[in-house]
Amino acid sequence: MMLNNAYLLIGASVLMHVAWNLMARHVDSRANYLWWGLLAHLTILGPYAVWHLLQNANWQPPLVTALFSTSVANTLYFIALRRAYHYAPVALVYPLARSSPILILLWSWLFFSQLISIWELVAISISVIGLWILAASSRHGDTRHALPWTILAALSTSVYSLSDKVAVEYLPGFAEQLGFISIGYATSFLELTLVQRVETNRWLPQTRPSIAYILIGGLFIGTAYALVVRAMGQLPAAHVVSFTNGGIVLAVLLSILAFGEREHWRQRLVGALVVSGGLVLLGWLS
């Protein structure tokens, strides 16, 4: 039943996404936790999921185009986010990169002639303004150099979200949807490996997280994304991506209440409440 309820799918995805991001906080940055997580996903779930994709997907030209678009955009997203983090902290970069629902609405209107109500636009805009408030609460880093990479990350998110929306119509089951994600992640993994080689002169990260962290990352990173893709079979892409930003709200609350991170906590709390208000309104309208 859960796999047929878009809101439960998004909720499970948010919990998985927050879980592996919290683990990343405790991993040495030299370990490149995302690299290990993608490798684990491709090793544990990839073969099974890709086999189902090849066997059962409805292989039409739109699916092939979407697979290519998602693979390229996902790779650009990871690279852009990595470069942005080089100049500014996650607290500044990530909320701005997740402002993509506004872009998704724009591309949906321009390229797919999809119209939305003024209230849907208001709800999504409120949630995005909340993200900007969260980003403004972080006053560290080189914003000028981080911003172009952050914008590229947001653009990439909008592209792969729309191509995911196209693809889900040709992917009959969750295994096929997970296979679709796995192909894109394989491309991203290869590109991240090349980037790592250029930056560190090493094919492997300098150190390795614990096996437990790698296994959990491998199980959660791809599954969380596939749940989002499945939810797009029932809701507009802009709605789904907006709702997944509830994970940022949860992360902010955990950082303040559980981890005692008090810097600019009032502004961060206001931002989280504004995001939540926009999502509540969007949920009521959906």
mmCIF file with all atom_site columns, all heavy atoms in Angstrom, residues 43 65 71 79 82 91 93 113 126 165 167 174 203 209 220 231-233 244 251 255 278-279 284-285:
data_model
loop_
_atom_site.group_PDB
_atom_site.id
_atom_site.type_symbol
_atom_site.label_atom_id
_atom_site.label_alt_id
_atom_site.label_comp_id
_atom_site.label_asym_id
_atom_site.label_entity_id
_atom_site.label_seq_id
_atom_site.pdbx_PDB_ins_code
_atom_site.Cartn_x
_atom_site.Cartn_y
_atom_site.Cartn_z
_atom_site.occupancy
_atom_site.B_iso_or_equiv
_atom_site.pdbx_formal_charge
_atom_site.auth_seq_id
_atom_site.auth_comp_id
_atom_site.auth_asym_id
_atom_site.auth_atom_id
_atom_site.pdbx_PDB_model_num
ATOM 1   N N   . THR A 1 43  ? 26.740 -1.764 -6.272  1.00 0.00 ? 43  THR A N   1
ATOM 2   C CA  . THR A 1 43  ? 27.153 -3.135 -5.996  1.00 0.00 ? 43  THR A CA  1
ATOM 3   C C   . THR A 1 43  ? 26.010 -3.969 -5.419  1.00 0.00 ? 43  THR A C   1
ATOM 4   O O   . THR A 1 43  ? 25.788 -5.115 -5.829  1.00 0.00 ? 43  THR A O   1
ATOM 5   C CB  . THR A 1 43  ? 28.342 -3.152 -5.022  1.00 0.00 ? 43  THR A CB  1
ATOM 6   O OG1 . THR A 1 43  ? 29.422 -2.385 -5.576  1.00 0.00 ? 43  THR A OG1 1
ATOM 7   C CG2 . THR A 1 43  ? 28.809 -4.574 -4.759  1.00 0.00 ? 43  THR A CG2 1
ATOM 8   N N   . THR A 1 65  ? 15.555 9.172  -23.968 1.00 0.00 ? 65  THR A N   1
ATOM 9   C CA  . THR A 1 65  ? 15.939 10.579 -23.821 1.00 0.00 ? 65  THR A CA  1
ATOM 10  C C   . THR A 1 65  ? 15.982 10.981 -22.352 1.00 0.00 ? 65  THR A C   1
ATOM 11  O O   . THR A 1 65  ? 16.907 11.672 -21.905 1.00 0.00 ? 65  THR A O   1
ATOM 12  C CB  . THR A 1 65  ? 14.947 11.481 -24.575 1.00 0.00 ? 65  THR A CB  1
ATOM 13  O OG1 . THR A 1 65  ? 14.927 11.111 -25.954 1.00 0.00 ? 65  THR A OG1 1
ATOM 14  C CG2 . THR A 1 65  ? 15.343 12.952 -24.456 1.00 0.00 ? 65  THR A CG2 1
ATOM 15  N N   . SER A 1 71  ? 20.883 11.196 -16.410 1.00 0.00 ? 71  SER A N   1
ATOM 16  C CA  . SER A 1 71  ? 22.262 10.796 -16.135 1.00 0.00 ? 71  SER A CA  1
ATOM 17  C C   . SER A 1 71  ? 23.208 11.995 -16.206 1.00 0.00 ? 71  SER A C   1
ATOM 18  O O   . SER A 1 71  ? 24.051 12.196 -15.319 1.00 0.00 ? 71  SER A O   1
ATOM 19  C CB  . SER A 1 71  ? 22.709 9.715  -17.124 1.00 0.00 ? 71  SER A CB  1
ATOM 20  O OG  . SER A 1 71  ? 21.907 8.557  -17.011 1.00 0.00 ? 71  SER A OG  1
ATOM 21  N N   . ILE A 1 79  ? 28.726 17.332 -9.298  1.00 0.00 ? 79  ILE A N   1
ATOM 22  C CA  . ILE A 1 79  ? 29.955 18.103 -9.498  1.00 0.00 ? 79  ILE A CA  1
ATOM 23  C C   . ILE A 1 79  ? 29.768 19.543 -9.032  1.00 0.00 ? 79  ILE A C   1
ATOM 24  O O   . ILE A 1 79  ? 30.624 20.115 -8.338  1.00 0.00 ? 79  ILE A O   1
ATOM 25  C CB  . ILE A 1 79  ? 30.373 18.061 -10.981 1.00 0.00 ? 79  ILE A CB  1
ATOM 26  C CG1 . ILE A 1 79  ? 30.817 16.642 -11.362 1.00 0.00 ? 79  ILE A CG1 1
ATOM 27  C CG2 . ILE A 1 79  ? 31.494 19.055 -11.258 1.00 0.00 ? 79  ILE A CG2 1
ATOM 28  C CD1 . ILE A 1 79  ? 31.092 16.477 -12.835 1.00 0.00 ? 79  ILE A CD1 1
ATOM 29  N N   . ARG A 1 82  ? 29.620 19.758 -5.247  1.00 0.00 ? 82  ARG A N   1
ATOM 30  C CA  . ARG A 1 82  ? 30.956 19.547 -4.684  1.00 0.00 ? 82  ARG A CA  1
ATOM 31  C C   . ARG A 1 82  ? 31.800 20.808 -4.803  1.00 0.00 ? 82  ARG A C   1
ATOM 32  O O   . ARG A 1 82  ? 32.513 21.199 -3.866  1.00 0.00 ? 82  ARG A O   1
ATOM 33  C CB  . ARG A 1 82  ? 31.622 18.366 -5.401  1.00 0.00 ? 82  ARG A CB  1
ATOM 34  C CG  . ARG A 1 82  ? 33.006 17.995 -4.873  1.00 0.00 ? 82  ARG A CG  1
ATOM 35  C CD  . ARG A 1 82  ? 33.557 16.821 -5.673  1.00 0.00 ? 82  ARG A CD  1
ATOM 36  N NE  . ARG A 1 82  ? 34.905 16.486 -5.295  1.00 0.00 ? 82  ARG A NE  1
ATOM 37  C CZ  . ARG A 1 82  ? 35.230 15.630 -4.341  1.00 0.00 ? 82  ARG A CZ  1
ATOM 38  N NH1 . ARG A 1 82  ? 34.273 15.035 -3.653  1.00 0.00 ? 82  ARG A NH1 1
ATOM 39  N NH2 . ARG A 1 82  ? 36.490 15.365 -4.066  1.00 0.00 ? 82  ARG A NH2 1
ATOM 40  N N   . ALA A 1 91  ? 25.210 24.774 4.831   1.00 0.00 ? 91  ALA A N   1
ATOM 41  C CA  . ALA A 1 91  ? 24.060 25.551 5.300   1.00 0.00 ? 91  ALA A CA  1
ATOM 42  C C   . ALA A 1 91  ? 23.709 26.692 4.357   1.00 0.00 ? 91  ALA A C   1
ATOM 43  O O   . ALA A 1 91  ? 22.548 27.114 4.296   1.00 0.00 ? 91  ALA A O   1
ATOM 44  C CB  . ALA A 1 91  ? 24.345 26.105 6.696   1.00 0.00 ? 91  ALA A CB  1
ATOM 45  N N   . VAL A 1 93  ? 24.817 26.673 0.837   1.00 0.00 ? 93  VAL A N   1
ATOM 46  C CA  . VAL A 1 93  ? 24.684 26.161 -0.530  1.00 0.00 ? 93  VAL A CA  1
ATOM 47  C C   . VAL A 1 93  ? 23.427 25.318 -0.730  1.00 0.00 ? 93  VAL A C   1
ATOM 48  O O   . VAL A 1 93  ? 22.666 25.527 -1.680  1.00 0.00 ? 93  VAL A O   1
ATOM 49  C CB  . VAL A 1 93  ? 25.940 25.337 -0.903  1.00 0.00 ? 93  VAL A CB  1
ATOM 50  C CG1 . VAL A 1 93  ? 25.733 24.602 -2.226  1.00 0.00 ? 93  VAL A CG1 1
ATOM 51  C CG2 . VAL A 1 93  ? 27.164 26.239 -0.976  1.00 0.00 ? 93  VAL A CG2 1
ATOM 52  N N   . SER A 1 113 ? 3.683  22.978 -21.493 1.00 0.00 ? 113 SER A N   1
ATOM 53  C CA  . SER A 1 113 ? 2.410  23.720 -21.470 1.00 0.00 ? 113 SER A CA  1
ATOM 54  C C   . SER A 1 113 ? 1.550  23.349 -20.267 1.00 0.00 ? 113 SER A C   1
ATOM 55  O O   . SER A 1 113 ? 0.325  23.308 -20.361 1.00 0.00 ? 113 SER A O   1
ATOM 56  C CB  . SER A 1 113 ? 1.623  23.469 -22.775 1.00 0.00 ? 113 SER A CB  1
ATOM 57  O OG  . SER A 1 113 ? 2.372  23.876 -23.889 1.00 0.00 ? 113 SER A OG  1
ATOM 58  N N   . ILE A 1 126 ? 6.422  30.410 -1.345  1.00 0.00 ? 126 ILE A N   1
ATOM 59  C CA  . ILE A 1 126 ? 6.628  30.577 0.103   1.00 0.00 ? 126 ILE A CA  1
ATOM 60  C C   . ILE A 1 126 ? 7.682  29.591 0.601   1.00 0.00 ? 126 ILE A C   1
ATOM 61  O O   . ILE A 1 126 ? 8.593  29.960 1.365   1.00 0.00 ? 126 ILE A O   1
ATOM 62  C CB  . ILE A 1 126 ? 5.306  30.386 0.865   1.00 0.00 ? 126 ILE A CB  1
ATOM 63  C CG1 . ILE A 1 126 ? 4.359  31.552 0.599   1.00 0.00 ? 126 ILE A CG1 1
ATOM 64  C CG2 . ILE A 1 126 ? 5.558  30.248 2.373   1.00 0.00 ? 126 ILE A CG2 1
ATOM 65  C CD1 . ILE A 1 126 ? 2.964  31.347 1.166   1.00 0.00 ? 126 ILE A CD1 1
ATOM 66  N N   . LYS A 1 165 ? 10.151 12.722 -14.298 1.00 0.00 ? 165 LYS A N   1
ATOM 67  C CA  . LYS A 1 165 ? 8.694  12.744 -14.441 1.00 0.00 ? 165 LYS A CA  1
ATOM 68  C C   . LYS A 1 165 ? 8.266  12.111 -15.759 1.00 0.00 ? 165 LYS A C   1
ATOM 69  O O   . LYS A 1 165 ? 7.272  11.366 -15.821 1.00 0.00 ? 165 LYS A O   1
ATOM 70  C CB  . LYS A 1 165 ? 8.196  14.192 -14.350 1.00 0.00 ? 165 LYS A CB  1
ATOM 71  C CG  . LYS A 1 165 ? 6.713  14.392 -14.614 1.00 0.00 ? 165 LYS A CG  1
ATOM 72  C CD  . LYS A 1 165 ? 5.851  13.746 -13.545 1.00 0.00 ? 165 LYS A CD  1
ATOM 73  C CE  . LYS A 1 165 ? 4.380  14.077 -13.757 1.00 0.00 ? 165 LYS A CE  1
ATOM 74  N NZ  . LYS A 1 165 ? 3.510  13.371 -12.790 1.00 0.00 ? 165 LYS A NZ  1
ATOM 75  N N   . ALA A 1 167 ? 10.091 9.873  -17.428 1.00 0.00 ? 167 ALA A N   1
ATOM 76  C CA  . ALA A 1 167 ? 10.505 8.463  -17.427 1.00 0.00 ? 167 ALA A CA  1
ATOM 77  C C   . ALA A 1 167 ? 9.546  7.567  -16.659 1.00 0.00 ? 167 ALA A C   1
ATOM 78  O O   . ALA A 1 167 ? 9.326  6.416  -17.053 1.00 0.00 ? 167 ALA A O   1
ATOM 79  C CB  . ALA A 1 167 ? 11.907 8.348  -16.837 1.00 0.00 ? 167 ALA A CB  1
ATOM 80  N N   . PHE A 1 174 ? 8.642  -0.654 -9.092  1.00 0.00 ? 174 PHE A N   1
ATOM 81  C CA  . PHE A 1 174 ? 9.693  0.001  -8.316  1.00 0.00 ? 174 PHE A CA  1
ATOM 82  C C   . PHE A 1 174 ? 11.083 -0.495 -8.711  1.00 0.00 ? 174 PHE A C   1
ATOM 83  O O   . PHE A 1 174 ? 12.042 0.278  -8.725  1.00 0.00 ? 174 PHE A O   1
ATOM 84  C CB  . PHE A 1 174 ? 9.461  -0.235 -6.820  1.00 0.00 ? 174 PHE A CB  1
ATOM 85  C CG  . PHE A 1 174 ? 10.433 0.513  -5.950  1.00 0.00 ? 174 PHE A CG  1
ATOM 86  C CD1 . PHE A 1 174 ? 10.386 1.893  -5.858  1.00 0.00 ? 174 PHE A CD1 1
ATOM 87  C CD2 . PHE A 1 174 ? 11.403 -0.172 -5.236  1.00 0.00 ? 174 PHE A CD2 1
ATOM 88  C CE1 . PHE A 1 174 ? 11.294 2.591  -5.074  1.00 0.00 ? 174 PHE A CE1 1
ATOM 89  C CE2 . PHE A 1 174 ? 12.311 0.507  -4.443  1.00 0.00 ? 174 PHE A CE2 1
ATOM 90  C CZ  . PHE A 1 174 ? 12.258 1.894  -4.365  1.00 0.00 ? 174 PHE A CZ  1
ATOM 91  N N   . TRP A 1 203 ? 42.699 7.316  -7.407  1.00 0.00 ? 203 TRP A N   1
ATOM 92  C CA  . TRP A 1 203 ? 41.455 6.753  -7.907  1.00 0.00 ? 203 TRP A CA  1
ATOM 93  C C   . TRP A 1 203 ? 40.489 6.453  -6.769  1.00 0.00 ? 203 TRP A C   1
ATOM 94  O O   . TRP A 1 203 ? 39.279 6.502  -6.955  1.00 0.00 ? 203 TRP A O   1
ATOM 95  C CB  . TRP A 1 203 ? 41.735 5.464  -8.691  1.00 0.00 ? 203 TRP A CB  1
ATOM 96  C CG  . TRP A 1 203 ? 42.401 5.703  -10.013 1.00 0.00 ? 203 TRP A CG  1
ATOM 97  C CD1 . TRP A 1 203 ? 43.687 5.420  -10.344 1.00 0.00 ? 203 TRP A CD1 1
ATOM 98  C CD2 . TRP A 1 203 ? 41.819 6.284  -11.184 1.00 0.00 ? 203 TRP A CD2 1
ATOM 99  N NE1 . TRP A 1 203 ? 43.951 5.794  -11.642 1.00 0.00 ? 203 TRP A NE1 1
ATOM 100 C CE2 . TRP A 1 203 ? 42.816 6.321  -12.184 1.00 0.00 ? 203 TRP A CE2 1
ATOM 101 C CE3 . TRP A 1 203 ? 40.543 6.779  -11.485 1.00 0.00 ? 203 TRP A CE3 1
ATOM 102 C CZ2 . TRP A 1 203 ? 42.591 6.826  -13.463 1.00 0.00 ? 203 TRP A CZ2 1
ATOM 103 C CZ3 . TRP A 1 203 ? 40.307 7.286  -12.765 1.00 0.00 ? 203 TRP A CZ3 1
ATOM 104 C CH2 . TRP A 1 203 ? 41.322 7.303  -13.730 1.00 0.00 ? 203 TRP A CH2 1
ATOM 105 N N   . PRO A 1 209 ? 35.023 5.095  5.141   1.00 0.00 ? 209 PRO A N   1
ATOM 106 C CA  . PRO A 1 209 ? 34.118 5.053  6.296   1.00 0.00 ? 209 PRO A CA  1
ATOM 107 C C   . PRO A 1 209 ? 33.972 3.616  6.797   1.00 0.00 ? 209 PRO A C   1
ATOM 108 O O   . PRO A 1 209 ? 34.413 2.667  6.148   1.00 0.00 ? 209 PRO A O   1
ATOM 109 C CB  . PRO A 1 209 ? 32.790 5.584  5.736   1.00 0.00 ? 209 PRO A CB  1
ATOM 110 C CG  . PRO A 1 209 ? 33.112 6.146  4.398   1.00 0.00 ? 209 PRO A CG  1
ATOM 111 C CD  . PRO A 1 209 ? 34.325 5.454  3.904   1.00 0.00 ? 209 PRO A CD  1
ATOM 112 N N   . PHE A 1 220 ? 20.341 3.449  1.208   1.00 0.00 ? 220 PHE A N   1
ATOM 113 C CA  . PHE A 1 220 ? 19.460 4.615  1.321   1.00 0.00 ? 220 PHE A CA  1
ATOM 114 C C   . PHE A 1 220 ? 19.584 5.595  0.155   1.00 0.00 ? 220 PHE A C   1
ATOM 115 O O   . PHE A 1 220 ? 18.569 6.165  -0.270  1.00 0.00 ? 220 PHE A O   1
ATOM 116 C CB  . PHE A 1 220 ? 19.753 5.356  2.626   1.00 0.00 ? 220 PHE A CB  1
ATOM 117 C CG  . PHE A 1 220 ? 19.152 4.722  3.854   1.00 0.00 ? 220 PHE A CG  1
ATOM 118 C CD1 . PHE A 1 220 ? 18.532 3.490  3.785   1.00 0.00 ? 220 PHE A CD1 1
ATOM 119 C CD2 . PHE A 1 220 ? 19.218 5.346  5.079   1.00 0.00 ? 220 PHE A CD2 1
ATOM 120 C CE1 . PHE A 1 220 ? 17.978 2.884  4.906   1.00 0.00 ? 220 PHE A CE1 1
ATOM 121 C CE2 . PHE A 1 220 ? 18.659 4.761  6.216   1.00 0.00 ? 220 PHE A CE2 1
ATOM 122 C CZ  . PHE A 1 220 ? 18.043 3.529  6.127   1.00 0.00 ? 220 PHE A CZ  1
ATOM 123 N N   . ALA A 1 231 ? 6.905  8.593  -6.726  1.00 0.00 ? 231 ALA A N   1
ATOM 124 C CA  . ALA A 1 231 ? 5.885  9.559  -6.322  1.00 0.00 ? 231 ALA A CA  1
ATOM 125 C C   . ALA A 1 231 ? 5.496  10.473 -7.473  1.00 0.00 ? 231 ALA A C   1
ATOM 126 O O   . ALA A 1 231 ? 4.363  10.969 -7.531  1.00 0.00 ? 231 ALA A O   1
ATOM 127 C CB  . ALA A 1 231 ? 6.382  10.380 -5.135  1.00 0.00 ? 231 ALA A CB  1
ATOM 128 N N   . MET A 1 232 ? 6.421  10.692 -8.415  1.00 0.00 ? 232 MET A N   1
ATOM 129 C CA  . MET A 1 232 ? 6.128  11.555 -9.557  1.00 0.00 ? 232 MET A CA  1
ATOM 130 C C   . MET A 1 232 ? 5.101  10.936 -10.495 1.00 0.00 ? 232 MET A C   1
ATOM 131 O O   . MET A 1 232 ? 4.554  11.620 -11.359 1.00 0.00 ? 232 MET A O   1
ATOM 132 C CB  . MET A 1 232 ? 7.414  11.882 -10.321 1.00 0.00 ? 232 MET A CB  1
ATOM 133 C CG  . MET A 1 232 ? 8.307  12.859 -9.593  1.00 0.00 ? 232 MET A CG  1
ATOM 134 S SD  . MET A 1 232 ? 9.749  13.302 -10.577 1.00 0.00 ? 232 MET A SD  1
ATOM 135 C CE  . MET A 1 232 ? 10.590 14.411 -9.440  1.00 0.00 ? 232 MET A CE  1
ATOM 136 N N   . GLY A 1 233 ? 4.842  9.650  -10.329 1.00 0.00 ? 233 GLY A N   1
ATOM 137 C CA  . GLY A 1 233 ? 3.773  9.037  -11.108 1.00 0.00 ? 233 GLY A CA  1
ATOM 138 C C   . GLY A 1 233 ? 2.399  9.480  -10.661 1.00 0.00 ? 233 GLY A C   1
ATOM 139 O O   . GLY A 1 233 ? 1.412  9.265  -11.370 1.00 0.00 ? 233 GLY A O   1
ATOM 140 N N   . THR A 1 244 ? 9.929  17.104 -0.802  1.00 0.00 ? 244 THR A N   1
ATOM 141 C CA  . THR A 1 244 ? 11.176 16.506 -0.325  1.00 0.00 ? 244 THR A CA  1
ATOM 142 C C   . THR A 1 244 ? 12.025 17.519 0.442   1.00 0.00 ? 244 THR A C   1
ATOM 143 O O   . THR A 1 244 ? 12.878 17.117 1.245   1.00 0.00 ? 244 THR A O   1
ATOM 144 C CB  . THR A 1 244 ? 12.016 15.929 -1.485  1.00 0.00 ? 244 THR A CB  1
ATOM 145 O OG1 . THR A 1 244 ? 12.348 16.968 -2.408  1.00 0.00 ? 244 THR A OG1 1
ATOM 146 C CG2 . THR A 1 244 ? 11.267 14.824 -2.207  1.00 0.00 ? 244 THR A CG2 1
ATOM 147 N N   . ALA A 1 251 ? 16.149 18.434 9.181   1.00 0.00 ? 251 ALA A N   1
ATOM 148 C CA  . ALA A 1 251 ? 17.575 18.557 9.497   1.00 0.00 ? 251 ALA A CA  1
ATOM 149 C C   . ALA A 1 251 ? 17.843 19.798 10.353  1.00 0.00 ? 251 ALA A C   1
ATOM 150 O O   . ALA A 1 251 ? 18.667 19.760 11.277  1.00 0.00 ? 251 ALA A O   1
ATOM 151 C CB  . ALA A 1 251 ? 18.397 18.611 8.213   1.00 0.00 ? 251 ALA A CB  1
ATOM 152 N N   . SER A 1 255 ? 19.346 19.759 14.088  1.00 0.00 ? 255 SER A N   1
ATOM 153 C CA  . SER A 1 255 ? 20.594 20.461 14.391  1.00 0.00 ? 255 SER A CA  1
ATOM 154 C C   . SER A 1 255 ? 20.440 21.376 15.597  1.00 0.00 ? 255 SER A C   1
ATOM 155 O O   . SER A 1 255 ? 21.363 21.523 16.408  1.00 0.00 ? 255 SER A O   1
ATOM 156 C CB  . SER A 1 255 ? 21.053 21.268 13.178  1.00 0.00 ? 255 SER A CB  1
ATOM 157 O OG  . SER A 1 255 ? 20.196 22.371 12.932  1.00 0.00 ? 255 SER A OG  1
ATOM 158 N N   . GLY A 1 278 ? 4.663  26.875 3.605   1.00 0.00 ? 278 GLY A N   1
ATOM 159 C CA  . GLY A 1 278 ? 4.439  26.703 2.166   1.00 0.00 ? 278 GLY A CA  1
ATOM 160 C C   . GLY A 1 278 ? 4.085  25.277 1.806   1.00 0.00 ? 278 GLY A C   1
ATOM 161 O O   . GLY A 1 278 ? 3.180  25.041 0.979   1.00 0.00 ? 278 GLY A O   1
ATOM 162 N N   . LEU A 1 279 ? 4.712  24.310 2.466   1.00 0.00 ? 279 LEU A N   1
ATOM 163 C CA  . LEU A 1 279 ? 4.423  22.905 2.166   1.00 0.00 ? 279 LEU A CA  1
ATOM 164 C C   . LEU A 1 279 ? 3.061  22.470 2.665   1.00 0.00 ? 279 LEU A C   1
ATOM 165 O O   . LEU A 1 279 ? 2.371  21.670 2.025   1.00 0.00 ? 279 LEU A O   1
ATOM 166 C CB  . LEU A 1 279 ? 5.520  22.005 2.766   1.00 0.00 ? 279 LEU A CB  1
ATOM 167 C CG  . LEU A 1 279 ? 6.939  22.221 2.225   1.00 0.00 ? 279 LEU A CG  1
ATOM 168 C CD1 . LEU A 1 279 ? 7.903  21.219 2.840   1.00 0.00 ? 279 LEU A CD1 1
ATOM 169 C CD2 . LEU A 1 279 ? 6.962  22.141 0.703   1.00 0.00 ? 279 LEU A CD2 1
ATOM 170 N N   . TRP A 1 284 ? -2.406 21.034 1.183   1.00 0.00 ? 284 TRP A N   1
ATOM 171 C CA  . TRP A 1 284 ? -3.829 21.280 1.247   1.00 0.00 ? 284 TRP A CA  1
ATOM 172 C C   . TRP A 1 284 ? -4.435 21.480 -0.145  1.00 0.00 ? 284 TRP A C   1
ATOM 173 O O   . TRP A 1 284 ? -5.568 21.072 -0.409  1.00 0.00 ? 284 TRP A O   1
ATOM 174 C CB  . TRP A 1 284 ? -4.085 22.524 2.112   1.00 0.00 ? 284 TRP A CB  1
ATOM 175 C CG  . TRP A 1 284 ? -5.528 22.872 2.264   1.00 0.00 ? 284 TRP A CG  1
ATOM 176 C CD1 . TRP A 1 284 ? -6.493 22.191 2.964   1.00 0.00 ? 284 TRP A CD1 1
ATOM 177 C CD2 . TRP A 1 284 ? -6.195 24.006 1.687   1.00 0.00 ? 284 TRP A CD2 1
ATOM 178 N NE1 . TRP A 1 284 ? -7.700 22.825 2.857   1.00 0.00 ? 284 TRP A NE1 1
ATOM 179 C CE2 . TRP A 1 284 ? -7.551 23.953 2.080   1.00 0.00 ? 284 TRP A CE2 1
ATOM 180 C CE3 . TRP A 1 284 ? -5.772 25.065 0.891   1.00 0.00 ? 284 TRP A CE3 1
ATOM 181 C CZ2 . TRP A 1 284 ? -8.489 24.912 1.688   1.00 0.00 ? 284 TRP A CZ2 1
ATOM 182 C CZ3 . TRP A 1 284 ? -6.711 26.029 0.492   1.00 0.00 ? 284 TRP A CZ3 1
ATOM 183 C CH2 . TRP A 1 284 ? -8.050 25.941 0.911   1.00 0.00 ? 284 TRP A CH2 1
ATOM 184 N N   . LEU A 1 285 ? -3.643 22.072 -1.047  1.00 0.00 ? 285 LEU A N   1
ATOM 185 C CA  . LEU A 1 285 ? -4.117 22.330 -2.402  1.00 0.00 ? 285 LEU A CA  1
ATOM 186 C C   . LEU A 1 285 ? -4.051 21.090 -3.298  1.00 0.00 ? 285 LEU A C   1
ATOM 187 O O   . LEU A 1 285 ? -4.764 20.997 -4.292  1.00 0.00 ? 285 LEU A O   1
ATOM 188 C CB  . LEU A 1 285 ? -3.295 23.442 -3.044  1.00 0.00 ? 285 LEU A CB  1
ATOM 189 C CG  . LEU A 1 285 ? -3.396 24.836 -2.408  1.00 0.00 ? 285 LEU A CG  1
ATOM 190 C CD1 . LEU A 1 285 ? -2.327 25.760 -2.980  1.00 0.00 ? 285 LEU A CD1 1
ATOM 191 C CD2 . LEU A 1 285 ? -4.764 25.420 -2.652  1.00 0.00 ? 285 LEU A CD2 1
#
